[in-house]
Amino acid sequence: MGTVAVHGLRKSFGKVQALDGVTLDVPDGSFFVVLGPSGAGKTTTLRAIAGLEKLDAGSVHLDGKDATGDSPAARDLAMVFQSYALYPRRTAYENIASPLRARRCSSSEIAAAVERMSSLLHIERLLQRRPAQMSGGEMQRVALARALVRRPRAFLMDEPLTNLDLKLRVEMRTELTRIHRSLGGTFIYVTNDQVEALSMADQVAVLKEGKVQQVGTPAEVYERPANQWVAGFVGSPPISLLPCHAEGDRLVGADGWTLPRPRWTTAEDGRPLLLGLRAEDLSVEQRGEASLPGELYGLEPLGDRTVVDVRVGTEILKVKARPTVTGTPGERLHVTVDLDRAHLFDAGTGLALSEAGR
Amino acid sequence: MAISVDEAVSTGPARDHTPPARRFGGRGRAVLEVALLAVLAVVMLFPVLWMIETSIKENRDVYAIPAKFFGFKVTLDHFKDVFVASGGGRSALSAAFLNSVVVAGVSTALATVLGVPAAWAYSRFSVKAKKDQLFFILSTRFMPPVVVVIPIFLMYRQVGLIDNKLGLILIYTAFNVPFTIWMMKGFVDEVPAEYEDAAMLDGYTRLQAFWRFTLPLLLPGIAATAVFALIFSWNEFVFAIFLTSSDSVRTAPPAIAGLIGGTTVDWGLVAAASIVFALPVLVFAYLVRKHLVAGVTLGAVRR
Ligand SMILES: Nc1ncnc2c1ncn2[C@@H]1O[C@H](COP(=O)(O)OP(=O)(O)O)[C@@H](O)[C@H]1O
Ligand SMILES: [Mg+2]
């Protein structure tokens, strides 16, 4: 068992409202990612779950029981800190053994558990070193081992991969997913990296300024962003947003372009909207009637693909194209739009329009 | 922590010494510097040197006119007199030294035991009006001892703490606790709170987390702070002379001062007693010198 449910968490630091009513429901055994930019309140959320932060309001339920007032030790959780927080005077072995020592395991049990962890994370040769004698990646593995050495209710991980270089980060991403599969258990994983979130999560909660913006599977968050901000935060290159409004069976852009109105659009005529178009749903090859006239603004070759920046009126559209695409800036072209995959947001509230008819 | 006292303490004016260097040229400046420092050293160290000489001269040579700098007979009799009474047995001075050891040691231990947890609490927890409280704590040190000694004398007389080692221990502890809190708070602030957070998630209580994980990291700071407290208690004179009178209670500073003032003064004994008195402090300060600098410069270091 390992369900974590938090309800209406509120916490302020002086004038900063770090958590503004955070509610999350983490199912048993899931890899649950909390995604948000720096300062969104991710660390504070984890610390609240762990019992390290005194809350202004809200409750924490572990396995269905109210644990709001419980001490961190009583909550039976493990955490990887953003800074790793390895004990500086102790060897990797002692660091990893610490949760077992605190719970009075026998030294043979401890030795077996530490050995299991060190082979799982490939840190056998680090065991006698102190944190100061390890690289960032090595400390990160030891911190993970210290968390994973026990079977707690849930594992809390605060941006464990952020401080690693890109290659190691990609490796560890796969590794962590593998570990989650092989060990089982509930993982609550915090990150500001949307690629990490999308590639690792069973469920993603998107957090911004202490408020949950959306909870869903990675596909849901990517394909049906709840609002303009989530659409912009998740996905790379970022989604292009064009101001427009509906007029009869057309969508009319602020810059004068028109497109057929998607069937499912529920907005009344004239209401200011934002049309959200992801790079992969656009094409610089002209086909069909749903297309926008623009001019080539720049090319961004990325090896496996090229992102073409196209200026439509005053806005820049990011269009994914084949790596072989060529062109000169200023060249006129048409961008074909896959309207079935387009997103529409209310320009005032930023909320996605109902897609019930889609 | 890699910062010297100079860097931490000197502000603008210290830099003003550089331009003259160009006028004098490097060589002349160096000579002048050495000469000035030598003069300063002689002025500062002469009394110390004289004290050391006096402590090992025979009484005859101590009073010789003109004074003998060299060529006197060396004797350790004065040092013997410090510890052994003229008729055999322990001298009053040696009892005073023992009293000093007890009073300074116990008051420092008490101040450390009380002050370190308080500093930890002020560093780690959100306390109402924390800054005001800390300022209030420090403000108890603003008052010079001479100012408070009379009321304390009167209060002590009521509760029977006059001429009582416990009385001195309490007052020295009271003076050292604020200092310990202030200095230790700086050291605790330097230790990331996350070690304790991690320990609590491992399954330790908050106090266990402090005891097992933070306290060991604080030991150098505690040593430095304790040495400062020890030096204060060891050297303290005003309270000691007002609040104690009998040989069995008196600490060394008033006891040594008491040697001066009779019809004849045994300067050799005074010098020897002073040296014995100064040694422990010098040894301690030497042992923890690195941490003393760290403690002094703490406020200047930003990580
Ligand atoms: N101990 C603290 N004191 C003051 N402000 C804090 C503290 N912890 C967090 N904050 C503030 O709360 C907000 C959320 O912080 P945090 O949860 O660390 O964000 P994240 O982990 O998503 O980057 C930030 O604006 C941060 O500055
Ligand atoms: Mg954080």
Side-chain angles (χ1 to χ4, degrees):
Chain A
M1 273 294 275
T3 68
V4 176
V6 301
H7 187 82
L9 300 185
R10 297 180 61 82
K11 172 78 190 176
S12 64
F13 296 102
K15 286 203 181 71
V16 182
Q17 191 71 42
L19 298 183
D20 196 359
V22 170
T23 297
L24 297 172
D25 233 312
V26 182
D28 182 30
S30 65
F31 200 113
F32 191 95
V33 172
V34 179
L35 172 68
S38 164
K42 306 181 297 293
T43 298
T44 312
T45 304
L46 274 198
R47 290 176 58 84
I49 295 172
L52 297 171
E53 213 70 75
K54 199 160 172 279
L55 290 165
D56 300 337
S59 64
V60 178
H61 283 76
L62 301 173
D63 287 338
K65 281 204 252 352
D66 190 352
T68 314
D70 288 359
S71 72
R75 295 184 188 212
D76 188 21
L77 300 167
M79 182 158 169
V80 179
F81 290 79
Q82 195 165 353
S83 63
Y84 308 144
L86 294 178
Y87 310 125
R89 295 281 193 81
R90 294 171 197 228
T91 60
Y93 184 97
E94 279 309 315
N95 267 284
I96 299 170
S98 176
L100 302 175
R101 288 219 195 287
R103 290 176 158 82
R104 306 188 180 288
C105 296
S106 72
S107 46
S108 58
E109 272 177 279
I110 291 175
V114 173
E115 189 180 342
R116 199 154 25 83
M117 274 308 119
S118 54
S119 68
L120 183 71
L121 289 160
H122 315 298
I123 48 174
E124 293 95 338
R125 61 193 180 80
L126 300 177
L127 287 180
Q128 293 317 314
R129 291 202 211 160
R130 287 167 194 231
Q133 301 162 320
M134 295 183 229
S135 71
E138 292 169 339
M139 286 200 273
Q140 190 262 343
R141 279 163 190 267
V142 174
L144 271 174
R146 180 174 67 183
L148 296 168
V149 72
R150 229 166 48 80
R151 293 308 310 271
R153 278 211 177 93
F155 300 98
L156 313 177
M157 306 195 172
D158 194 354
E159 308 199 20
L161 307 187
T162 304
N163 299 332
L164 305 184
D165 56 57
L166 186 63
K167 181 169 169 289
L168 201 53
R169 204 182 319 156
V170 174
E171 265 173 42
M172 284 305 294
R173 220 186 272 157
T174 331
E175 193 113 327
L176 266 179
T177 319
R178 177 181 66 87
I179 288 169
H180 175 243
R181 267 199 225 103
S182 66
L183 289 184
T186 309
F187 281 46
I188 304 179
Y189 183 99
V190 156
T191 181
N192 62 23
D193 179 349
Q194 43 109 12
V195 181
E196 247 170 53
L198 297 181
S199 62
M200 298 167 85
D202 298 329
Q203 289 255 311
V204 183
V206 187
L207 200 63
K208 177 203 173 201
E209 288 166 12
K211 290 198 189 77
V212 177
Q213 304 293 310
Q214 185 173 3
V215 184
T217 64
E220 279 166 357
V221 171
Y222 189 79
E223 313 254 336
R224 308 265 169 105
N227 59 44
Q228 177 199 335
W229 186 85
V230 173
F233 188 69
V234 178
S236 169
I239 197 167
S240 307
L241 292 165
L242 301 178
C244 61
H245 60 269
E247 243 178 67
D249 61 353
R250 311 286 299 171
L251 276 180
V252 180
D255 295 317
W257 51 261
T258 70
L259 285 172
R261 170 177 175 154
R263 283 182 310 284
W264 46 268
T265 319
T266 50
E268 61 278 16
D269 286 4
R271 177 165 152 201
L273 303 173
L274 286 170
L275 176 66
L277 300 168
R278 292 205 186 275
E280 67 271 26
D281 302 330
L282 297 171
S283 163
V284 285
E285 289 151 37
Q286 189 166 7
R287 46 183 149 74
E289 58 139 356
S291 74
L292 296 168
E295 65 180 50
L296 185 68
Y297 190 75
L299 291 173
E300 215 181 313
L302 296 173
D304 60 332
R305 72 205 129 106
T306 293
V307 175
V308 183
D309 288 356
V310 179
R311 197 159 66 87
V312 175
T314 54
E315 304 289 326
I316 303 286
L317 280 187
K318 300 232 174 238
V319 183
K320 195 167 163 181
R322 268 185 284 182
T324 50
V325 76
T326 53
T328 46
E331 186 182 320
R332 316 264 336 146
L333 46 76
H334 273 80
V335 177
T336 308
V337 179
D338 183 351
L339 273 176
D340 289 337
R341 299 184 52 87
H343 308 274
L344 276 168
F345 304 97
D346 184 295
T349 62
L351 293 178
L353 297 193
S354 159
E355 301 188 6
R358 176 118 106 178
Chain B
M1 289 280 183
I3 188 166
S4 73
V5 186
D6 272 3
E7 278 173 273
V9 177
S10 77
T11 45
R15 302 275 179 270
D16 291 352
H17 296 304
T18 349
R22 239 169 273 131
R23 263 178 276 141
F24 286 126
R27 198 67 192 281
R29 178 173 176 250
V31 170
L32 189 72
E33 256 180 20
V34 169
L36 278 175
L37 283 175
V39 169
L40 205 66
V42 168
V43 170
M44 302 287 284
L45 292 177
F46 180 76
V48 178
L49 186 73
W50 195 244
M51 181 173 82
I52 294 170
E53 281 211 355
T54 308
S55 71
I56 52 175
K57 280 177 185 169
E58 290 186 337
N59 272 334
R60 201 159 20 86
D61 294 331
V62 168
Y63 291 104
I65 294 173
K68 287 187 182 169
F69 283 95
F70 309 103
F72 52 84
K73 209 168 148 233
V74 172
T75 169
L76 290 179
D77 282 353
H78 298 308
F79 285 95
K80 196 182 123 221
D81 291 344
V82 170
F83 295 104
V84 184
S86 48
R90 276 180 41 204
S91 69
L93 263 180
S94 75
F97 277 117
L98 203 61
N99 292 337
S100 270
V101 169
V102 170
V103 169
V106 175
S107 66
T108 299
L110 273 179
T112 304
V113 167
L114 294 172
V116 172
W120 173 68
Y122 276 115
S123 174
R124 292 286 188 259
F125 300 101
S126 58
V127 180
K128 265 207 192 100
K130 186 189 278 187
K131 285 205 176 120
D132 299 321
Q133 287 195 29
L134 283 169
F135 179 79
F136 174 75
I137 288 170
L138 189 69
S139 71
T140 58
R141 286 296 292 251
F142 294 168
M143 207 74 85
V146 215
V147 175
V148 288
V149 73
I150 303 297
I152 285 172
F153 181 87
L154 297 173
M155 288 190 278
Y156 268 28
R157 202 171 53 188
Q158 289 296 315
V159 294
L161 283 172
I162 294 290
D163 203 20
N164 186 331
K165 267 182 263 187
L166 182 62
L168 277 189
I169 288 171
L170 289 180
I171 195 80
Y172 291 173
T173 306
F175 259 68
N176 278 329
V177 163
F179 168 77
T180 305
I181 292 176
W182 267 80
M183 190 146 155
M184 284 312 301
K185 181 171 177 295
F187 283 106
V188 181
D189 287 344
E190 296 273 301
V191 178
E194 281 194 343
Y195 298 148
E196 283 164 43
D197 294 339
M200 286 195 285
L201 277 153
D202 284 353
Y204 292 107
T205 65
R206 192 172 259 290
L207 277 179
Q208 284 172 328
F210 166 69
W211 184 258
R212 291 168 159 262
F213 295 91
T214 304
L215 196 64
L217 299 173
L218 291 177
L219 284 179
I222 291 175
T225 310
V227 165
F228 272 120
L230 199 68
I231 291 174
F232 167 83
S233 310
W234 184 259
N235 289 348
E236 207 289 325
F237 180 71
V238 176
F239 287 118
I241 199 146
F242 273 90
L243 302 179
T244 63
S245 52
S246 63
D247 281 351
S248 61
V249 177
R250 227 177 214 210
T251 53
I256 293 174
L259 296 174
I260 310 171
T263 41
T264 59
V265 178
D266 185 350
W267 289 112
L269 181 64
V270 173
S274 302
I275 286 170
V276 173
F277 180 71
L279 269 182
V281 167
L282 291 178
V283 169
F284 270 119
Y286 181 77
L287 288 179
V288 299
R289 65 197 181 285
K290 243 192 278 171
H291 304 305
L292 287 182
V293 174
V296 169
T297 56
L298 210 59
V301 182
R302 278 273 71 87
R303 289 189 304 162

